[in-house]
Amino acid sequence: MQNFFIILLLSTSAFLQAKYMDNHSCAECHDTIYDEFQSSMHARGYFNDELHHKIADAVSTKVYDCAVCHMPMADNLSDLISGKARPNKANKTHTDAVSCYFCHTIAYVKKAHRYNINIKAKQAENYKPTLYGRLTDPDNNDKHSSVNNPIYGQKVCTGCHSHKLNENNVTIFNAMEDKQDSQECIKCHMPELAGGSDKINKRTRGHHASHRFLGIHDMTFRKKGVDINMTITSDMLNVTLINKMGHPLIIQSARAKYLKITIQREKHLIWRNYLKHPAEDKQGYFAYSFKKNGEKIIIPATSTLGSAHNLNTKETKVLTYKIPKLKAGDIVTVGLYMRLAKSDCAKAVILDDSTLMNEQQIKEVHFIQK
């Protein structure tokens, strides 16, 4: 842990010599990308993401070590991590969340045990900064220079999105394997859109990478990640789930995804896979679970044991259910649903935004018995 903080402090002190470019300053030239970014989860953090804010406070009201990924441009990052300072709404380096400047000044990513570390590019004082990206022959302007850096097609996403272990070496977040690069992330979450990235399109580029960073919050996007098939033989229902994503079905400990299966006969419900709570169907409920010294806990920061019932990257899983024998006209519905804050999480922190706990559909398929 001590070595981690040394690396972090050295890299932070090096790049903070240059003037920080806040998110809004990017809008002058990149208005389309700025608008896309503002609607993304990268623009949300401690001050405008209630779930993150309240879980962070439930972990500690003194230390904010989530800042490493959720407030990475903080000009007092080491103080936030050590507990000498708290998030400040008047500080742009705090409210910009995962800022444009942060993502575009990553020099390389250092692989580490607990979580990977973004090493920032050194920026010389009193000179305009150099920003990195994937464009060939990028434009320069009066605000910054631009450089193509191969890391942006390789490992840049792994700095925050690979894995996180707590101090007891329990995995509390896992989105990418070591062998994966960023190409698959970019292909799905930053698809090419029509139009250049600059207001003054000097290179007459015809497209740009979306900076909405589409994900689970987008209903249309999340349908693409999983396929559902079903086969019925006599009184047995087989549900096949196919994870098409480059990461597991469950990557964050606050969330749950689960199957809701019903059989209707003449508009009456005659069978379902659970009675009151989807977790009753253990094979169809996907979530993390944690314990501390043998006792179940909700907030995983101090857990001593953790596990996840998951659908892993590109995995196909067949779930089998015993059901009533169908009659003509019976309708079988298999739906995959999710909650951004599972019920256990909602009990641990009081959430004002009820939509975080609402059931939201990912995908649904139907079968009618002939």
Side-chain angles (χ1 to χ4, degrees):
M1 178 58 67
Q2 187 177 5
N3 290 338
F4 164 77
F5 285 122
I6 291 171
I7 292 170
L8 181 66
L9 290 171
L10 287 175
S11 59
T12 302
S13 61
F15 76 83
L16 284 183
Q17 292 174 12
K19 183 181 178 183
Y20 171 62
M21 289 175 58
D22 64 33
N23 291 344
H24 189 262
S25 69
C26 302
E28 184 179 336
C29 298
H30 304 285
D31 53 342
T32 300
I33 283 181
Y34 175 78
D35 290 341
E36 291 169 356
F37 171 85
Q38 288 298 99
S39 69
S40 78
M41 291 306 294
H42 277 191
R44 301 182 68 81
Y46 185 85
F47 296 106
N48 57 1
D49 185 333
E50 185 192 5
L51 183 59
H52 170 69
H53 177 120
K54 292 198 170 176
I55 289 178
D57 283 357
V59 172
S60 174
T61 54
K62 294 181 179 179
V63 173
Y64 181 55
D65 60 2
C66 306
V68 174
C69 284
H70 289 270
M71 200 178 285
M73 275 309 306
D75 56 7
N76 59 344
L77 187 58
S78 59
D79 286 345
L80 292 170
I81 293 167
S82 65
K84 293 178 182 177
R86 289 295 294 166
N88 179 0
K89 204 169 186 178
N91 186 332
K92 285 296 293 180
T93 68
H94 289 196
T95 57
D96 272 354
V98 187
S99 70
C100 311
Y101 190 79
F102 169 74
C103 280
H104 287 281
T105 52
I106 297 171
Y108 67 99
V109 177
K110 178 179 175 60
K111 183 180 174 181
H113 172 64
R114 282 193 56 207
Y115 45 90
N116 289 345
I117 304 164
N118 293 295
I119 305 299
K120 303 295 289 179
K122 293 181 179 180
Q123 304 286 356
E125 190 175 6
N126 299 323
Y127 286 85
K128 66 180 181 181
T130 298
L131 303 189
Y132 296 152
R134 297 177 65 230
L135 288 178
T136 354
D137 191 20
D139 299 339
N140 293 319
N141 57 50
D142 60 346
K143 286 190 175 182
H144 65 82
S145 301
S146 301
V147 173
N148 180 296
N149 185 347
I151 194 70
Y152 284 78
Q154 297 168 357
K155 298 295 179 185
V156 73
C157 301
T158 68
C160 288
H161 291 279
S162 59
H163 65 286
K164 184 173 182 181
L165 278 63
N166 70 8
E167 292 187 352
N168 297 314
N169 290 319
V170 174
T171 298
I172 60 178
F173 175 87
N174 182 23
M176 297 176 70
E177 297 175 6
D178 289 340
K179 63 183 179 181
Q180 287 180 282
D181 61 24
S182 297
Q183 289 289 352
E184 192 167 5
C185 310
I186 292 165
K187 182 180 177 181
C188 284
H189 296 284
M190 300 182 71
E192 294 290 322
L193 299 179
S197 61
D198 300 334
K199 189 178 289 187
I200 301 173
N201 192 358
K202 297 177 184 178
R203 309 290 189 196
T204 61
R205 302 185 197 278
H207 57 271
H208 71 278
S210 169
H211 281 61
R212 287 181 63 197
F213 303 103
L214 291 170
I216 195 171
H217 294 265
D218 186 274
M219 182 175 65
T220 303
F221 181 82
R222 64 178 179 248
K223 287 181 180 180
K224 301 175 182 179
V226 180
D227 279 343
I228 306 173
N229 298 310
M230 66 170 124
T231 58
I232 299 170
T233 307
S234 185
D235 60 350
M236 300 302 294
L237 166 65
N238 291 323
V239 177
T240 301
L241 298 177
I242 305 165
N243 181 8
K244 301 189 292 183
M245 298 179 287
H247 55 74
L249 181 66
I250 291 290
I251 58 175
Q252 293 188 355
S253 56
R255 295 176 185 165
K257 296 179 182 178
Y258 52 89
L259 287 178
K260 182 193 286 188
I261 308 172
T262 60
I263 301 176
Q264 284 189 313
R265 179 174 293 165
E266 297 177 353
K267 298 183 179 179
H268 296 290
L269 180 68
I270 65 166
W271 184 88
R272 66 184 302 173
N273 62 320
Y274 62 88
L275 295 176
K276 294 182 179 179
H277 193 280
E280 294 168 26
D281 175 10
K282 294 183 180 179
Q283 64 174 334
Y285 186 78
F286 302 94
Y288 275 97
S289 60
F290 298 96
K291 290 183 178 180
K292 181 178 181 179
N293 300 325
E295 298 293 327
K296 181 181 176 181
I297 62 170
I298 309 303
I299 305 297
T302 59
S303 61
T304 53
L305 184 67
S307 62
H309 179 50
N310 224 335
L311 191 63
N312 291 321
T313 305
K314 308 292 185 182
E315 182 183 6
T316 296
K317 187 170 286 191
V318 180
L319 311 180
T320 302
Y321 297 88
K322 185 174 175 57
I323 61 172
K325 196 165 184 178
L326 299 182
K327 295 182 179 180
D330 286 355
I331 302 170
V332 182
T333 302
V334 179
L336 183 64
Y337 287 80
M338 66 96 176
R339 283 191 172 97
L340 293 169
K342 59 186 177 183
S343 53
D344 284 351
C345 181
K347 290 174 186 175
V349 293
I350 300 171
L351 298 170
D352 299 323
D353 183 0
S354 61
T355 63
L356 293 168
M357 297 168 281
N358 287 352
E359 178 179 84
Q360 299 184 54
Q361 186 185 106
I362 297 175
K363 183 173 281 188
E364 192 173 81
V365 296
H366 304 272
F367 170 81
I368 302 175
Q369 178 68 20
K370 294 182 180 179

